[in-house]
Amino acid sequence: MLDKKEHHYEKAVLVGVITQHQDEDKLTEYMDELEFLAFTAGATVQKRFTQKLTQPDSKTFIGSGKAQEIKEYVKENEIGTVIFDDELSPSQLKNLEREIEVKILDRTNLILDIFAQRAQTSYARTQVELAQYQYLLPRLTRMWTHLERQKGGIGMRGPGETEIETDRRIIRDRISLLKDKLKTIDRQMATQRNNRGKVVRAALVGYTNVGKSTLMNALSKSEVFAENKLFATLDTTVRKVVIGNLPFLLTDTVGFIRKLPTQLVESFKSTLDEVREADLLIHVADISHESFEDQVESVNQTLMEINAHQKPMIMIFNKIDDFSYDKKDEDDLTPSTRKNISLEEWKKTWMGKSKYPTVFISALTKENFPEMKKMIYDEVMKIHISRFPYNDFLFEYFDNDEEEENND
């Protein structure tokens, strides 16, 4: 019997270019991420194609020789999908589909597809649908190029220009309808946020798949969906957390990613409002990831874009249980690389000197949890005292978990 899961995976190849803005190392890193995105969406990657270009070709993004090479490989190996690491223009998509004669996706389309699969609530579904239509509108004409020739049959005969115009109008109407729907929900959510009263609000932020939801579960002792795939969480979850006897609200937000489609940033405005309106940001990073510094930089960049970069913040480097490095022999004289840096050495770099309180933990094994909780408590306390200067004597710090263990 066929393994059901295996059966659903589509075979795909990836395409990326090396340019003056993106060297080979950077491209490899982006392609690794693209492969993880493809896996999350339900594809197995058979091969990667890369090309060195001064700048991407305006007609087909890659050179015609490379397009031919991909076409031959795709045909021989019965590949159904070609995924490009950058956003393609409507004309590039159209030309590539005509040239290679299979489904062409770009990074944006792939991310939108994952969001569509992951959206659980009607609010998340509305946000994703809006982003998809905004992406689709300028690309409508590409859908009827080689398809009618290749597959033929019902629904594949090329419609005339008038039908495309009709479709455009339907999509524009749908977009304005979805925008109105989101405005209503945004107003409701803003009211909910205001009704949370004077309790201090903290938001977990970080790159996708760094362990925010696992940390949320550990701190709030609740079950928030968490798995080792990108964008496991799309909906904002808010939980009440008590450390010592100091209560505060903790929000788990959607993970950030490099080259996040602008359509998504726009339609996920309300989710990002949770970050904008938080009193304290808890920035979680995955220290076991080889390019965690870039991921931290990406998140900081997004925080600047949404004007949330000046808030009090705590830096939490997670997954120390997964961290590994290559220890060099004493007589090895080759220059050290990032792979040779131990955790102790990392702590002495910019991380240890950060202007934000910083802690290294494992959300899975709960290593260094008491230290992290004390740090969160101190930061929440500062905000609390500045708001209610007269009742700070009500709170004193103790570790709830230790208390529970003593009672057992």
Side-chain angles (χ1 to χ4, degrees):
M1 198 176 134
L2 259 177
D3 178 352
K4 254 189 181 160
K5 258 191 174 164
E6 200 54 49
H7 185 61
H8 288 308
Y9 274 109
E10 281 181 39
K11 290 205 294 190
V13 296
L14 309 182
V15 185
V17 294
I18 299 165
T19 62
Q20 60 240 48
H21 308 296
Q22 188 167 277
D23 62 16
E24 201 167 339
D25 290 347
K26 213 19 116 231
L27 179 67
T28 305
E29 202 182 296
Y30 283 156
M31 294 289 263
D32 287 347
E33 188 166 272
L34 190 66
E35 183 160 344
F36 200 8
L37 281 166
F39 161 71
T40 302
T44 55
V45 174
Q46 307 291 313
K47 191 177 165 72
R48 297 177 178 192
F49 290 91
T50 57
Q51 187 173 29
K52 208 170 189 170
L53 295 171
T54 326
Q55 60 189 62
D57 186 290
S58 60
K59 289 194 182 69
T60 52
F61 195 77
I62 45 174
S64 54
K66 185 58 73 176
Q68 191 56 37
E69 187 190 329
I70 294 170
K71 181 179 179 174
E72 285 165 14
Y73 181 86
V74 159
K75 217 168 190 169
E76 275 168 35
N77 297 277
E78 295 177 356
I79 308 287
T81 312
V82 177
I83 305 170
F84 282 73
D85 185 43
D86 291 276
E87 186 164 324
L88 300 169
S89 71
S91 65
Q92 285 170 335
L93 263 169
K94 187 174 170 182
N95 295 332
L96 282 163
E97 287 210 323
R98 191 180 290 146
E99 187 87 10
I100 302 175
E101 296 183 351
V102 292
K103 182 168 58 178
I104 306 287
L105 297 180
D106 58 14
R107 189 185 178 92
T108 302
N109 203 338
L110 184 62
I111 292 174
L112 286 172
D113 186 76
I114 294 168
F115 270 57
Q117 288 180 33
R118 301 258 147 174
Q120 295 297 318
T121 62
S122 80
Y123 181 51
R125 283 198 291 270
T126 307
Q127 288 175 314
V128 175
E129 195 184 339
L130 175 61
Q132 283 179 313
Y133 277 131
Q134 286 170 330
Y135 173 83
L136 185 64
L137 191 59
R139 292 170 174 79
L140 262 189
T141 49
R142 81 175 179 94
M143 300 197 151
W144 0 91
T145 51
H146 70 279
L147 288 173
E148 66 272 23
R149 285 203 314 275
Q150 194 186 341
K151 298 198 182 99
I154 300 164
M156 284 301 172
R157 289 178 253 273
E161 192 57 37
T162 49
E163 288 186 42
I164 290 172
E165 279 312 308
T166 311
D167 286 347
R168 281 213 180 101
R169 196 165 54 248
I170 291 168
I171 288 181
R172 282 199 194 100
D173 291 348
R174 186 78 188 140
I175 286 175
S176 61
L177 192 77
L178 290 167
K179 279 185 172 170
D180 288 345
K181 192 173 169 185
L182 282 180
K183 269 184 202 150
T184 311
I185 304 177
D186 285 347
R187 277 198 296 273
Q188 290 166 353
M189 291 183 88
T191 311
Q192 276 174 13
R193 280 196 288 273
N194 293 337
N195 290 346
R196 287 178 201 157
K198 300 281 195 267
V199 186
V200 175
R201 283 161 25 192
L204 289 166
V205 296
Y207 210 73
T208 177
N209 205 40
V210 293
K212 294 188 300 299
S213 299
T214 310
L215 186 59
M216 175 86 160
N217 289 338
L219 281 170
S220 63
K221 300 185 179 61
S222 63
E223 285 306 310
V224 176
F225 182 64
E227 68 167 334
N228 186 28
K229 278 193 172 179
L230 299 180
F231 304 116
T233 317
L234 283 196
D235 288 296
T236 307
T237 314
V238 184
R239 292 277 184 274
K240 183 179 174 186
V241 176
V242 181
I243 296 182
N245 50 0
L246 181 62
F248 64 97
L249 293 176
L250 183 62
T251 305
D252 186 13
T253 59
V254 64
F256 297 168
I257 194 165
R258 282 169 296 206
K259 304 183 188 175
L260 188 68
T262 42
Q263 296 94 334
L264 276 177
V265 176
E266 181 49 41
S267 62
F268 272 74
K269 183 185 149 298
S270 181
T271 311
L272 295 170
D273 278 346
E274 289 284 352
V275 177
R276 255 190 293 257
E277 295 183 23
D279 304 302
L280 171 68
L281 299 181
I282 300 174
H283 183 166
V284 186
D286 170 5
I287 194 157
S288 68
H289 196 287
E290 56 184 27
S291 50
F292 72 86
E293 287 176 290
D294 285 345
Q295 295 187 345
V296 167
E297 184 46 46
S298 252
V299 173
N300 288 337
Q301 199 57 48
T302 309
L303 290 174
M304 275 180 90
E305 282 166 25
I306 63 170
N307 216 8
H309 58 294
Q310 285 169 325
K311 293 180 178 293
M313 193 191 288
I314 292 172
M315 276 302 307
I316 294 180
F317 290 98
N318 186 23
K319 303 196 186 182
I320 56 174
D321 54 310
D322 220 10
F323 177 84
S324 62
Y325 73 105
D326 299 334
K327 198 173 191 310
K328 280 181 71 173
D329 294 331
E330 282 178 25
D331 54 358
D332 184 352
L333 299 177
T334 54
S336 287
T337 66
R338 301 170 46 90
K339 292 191 172 105
N340 306 124
I341 305 176
S342 72
L343 196 54
E344 289 315 307
E345 286 168 325
W346 271 122
K347 290 179 185 178
K348 290 177 191 145
T349 62
W350 58 272
M351 302 176 182
K353 303 182 189 85
S354 164
K355 62 176 176 177
Y356 303 114
T358 303
V359 65
F360 294 78
I361 66 146
S362 161
L364 220 52
T365 65
K366 303 210 170 154
E367 194 176 340
N368 295 342
F369 254 43
E371 191 187 336
M372 175 194 69
K373 287 165 89 171
K374 176 79 170 81
M375 200 174 272
I376 296 173
Y377 176 89
D378 289 344
E379 291 304 305
V380 171
M381 189 64 161
K382 273 185 214 165
I383 298 163
H384 187 85
I385 290 172
S386 68
R387 265 193 211 162
F388 316 104
Y390 305 111
N391 72 351
D392 58 325
F393 59 86
L394 291 176
F395 299 106
E396 57 174 302
Y397 179 73
F398 59 86
D399 193 330
N400 326 44
D401 289 349
E402 276 181 27
E403 192 86 352
E404 282 168 23
E405 280 165 25
N406 295 339
N407 293 337
D408 285 347

